[in-house]
């Protein structure tokens, strides 16, 4: 039994510290027929606009897995233009989205999207989102960045200063002015698996319990 103790400690330490990455589903809505040539892609506008199509569901990937980003929507080639469709955009870049057939083939132009779900964050983490056209990101009650107007592909960054953990997010995105359409970024959309204990205090307590068990077993032997 004594020889097996180090293995038991390592396994328990692993369960304390390891986050089990899993795919996560986020939900969204889309407002069509927005004012041509204008994107006012704020979370407030996306939440209040009517009528909305949807909801749709997006199954994202571990950002360390099949895609280089947590979010990776990219449709069209720079300089070629075109309208694109809502369904094609939401299933681009390796993303998998369940888009209702009632609007999957509608034009992507003059649309306003709202994506909502949970994001795994830590205090002081920086987020960068590339977007074409406008976008705004809110995590918890904090606006990370706001760039709601029509634009070519640009990155916007911001630092999250709230508490660490799984936090609700809302991401608004608008497309108005021909392809390409892009929305991608370093979003850690992975759900932590079960954690036995929490951080260093949990690890110390667990090791102390194992040491006491080992001493009892030693006295019995």
């Amino acid at each position: 039994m004594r020889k097996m103790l180090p293995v038991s400690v390592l396994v328990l330490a692993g369960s304390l510290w390891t986050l089990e990455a899993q795919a996560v589903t986020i939900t969204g809505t889309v407002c069509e027929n927005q004012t041509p040539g204008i994107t006012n892609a704020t979370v407030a506008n996306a939440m209040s606009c009517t009528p909305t199509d949807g909801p749709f569901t997006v199954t994202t990937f571990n950002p360390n897995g099949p895609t280089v980003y947590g979010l990776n929507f990219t449709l069209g080639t720079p300089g070629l233009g075109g309208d694109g469709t809502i369904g094609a955009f939401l299933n681009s870049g390796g993303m998998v989205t369940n888009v209702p057939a009632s609007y999957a083939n509608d034009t992507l132009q003059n649309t306003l999207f709202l994506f909502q779900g949970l994001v795994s964050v830590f205090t002081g983490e920086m987020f960068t989102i590339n977007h074409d056209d406008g976008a705004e990101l809110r995590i918890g009650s904090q606006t990370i960045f706001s760039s709601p107007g029509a634009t070519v592909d640009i990155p916007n960054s911001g630092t999250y200063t709230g508490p660490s953990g799984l936090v609700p997010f809302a991401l608004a995105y608008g497309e108005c002015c021909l392809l390409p359409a892009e929305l991608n970024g370093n979003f850690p959309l992975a759900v932590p698996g079960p954690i036995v204990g929490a951080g260093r205090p949990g690890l110390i307590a667990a090791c102390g319990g194992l040491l006491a068990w080992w001493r009892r077993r030693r006295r019995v032997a």
Side-chain angles (χ1 to χ4, degrees):
M1 295 295 295
R2 298 176 194 170
K3 294 180 180 179
M4 294 178 63
L5 178 60
V7 177
S8 299
V9 172
L10 288 175
V11 171
L12 183 54
S15 66
L16 281 159
W17 291 99
T18 300
L19 295 183
E20 180 185 341
Q22 302 172 0
V24 60
T25 298
I26 59 178
T27 61
T29 56
V30 54
C31 288
E32 299 184 63
N33 303 315
Q34 301 298 293
T35 303
I38 298 175
T39 62
N40 196 1
T42 66
V43 171
N45 286 338
M47 286 183 171
S48 63
C49 72
T50 55
T52 60
D53 292 322
F56 56 81
T57 55
V58 183
T59 301
T60 66
F61 301 99
N62 180 342
N64 297 316
T67 64
V68 295
Y69 300 107
L71 289 176
N72 192 30
F73 300 103
T74 305
L75 183 66
T77 302
L80 295 185
D83 291 343
T85 66
I86 293 172
F89 175 70
L90 290 175
N91 283 283
S92 64
M95 306 300 287
V96 179
T97 306
N98 179 16
V99 185
S102 60
Y103 63 88
N105 293 320
D106 289 358
T107 180
L108 180 61
Q109 300 308 305
N110 307 316
T111 52
L112 177 59
F113 292 83
L114 176 65
F115 301 88
Q116 292 180 286
L118 295 174
V119 61
S120 178
V121 294
F122 59 85
T123 304
E125 184 169 5
M126 177 177 285
F127 292 87
T128 299
I129 302 289
N130 291 350
H131 56 93
D132 177 353
D133 288 293
E136 181 179 270
L137 173 61
R138 181 188 299 170
I139 299 178
S141 60
Q142 180 185 348
T143 298
I144 304 300
F145 74 83
S146 182
S147 178
T151 180
V152 296
D153 174 27
I154 59 170
N156 272 105
S157 300
T159 301
Y160 173 74
T161 59
S164 301
L166 282 177
V167 182
F169 80 89
L171 175 62
Y173 168 74
E175 166 62 20
C176 73
C177 306
L178 302 180
L179 298 178
E182 180 178 5
L183 182 67
N184 55 43
N186 62 328
F187 240 56
L189 292 168
V191 177
I195 302 178
V196 183
R200 185 175 298 175
L203 180 60
I204 293 172
C207 290
L210 282 172
L211 181 59
W213 170 84
W214 177 74
R215 286 173 174 170
R216 288 196 301 270
R217 295 291 298 176
R218 188 178 182 183
R219 286 197 297 269
V220 171

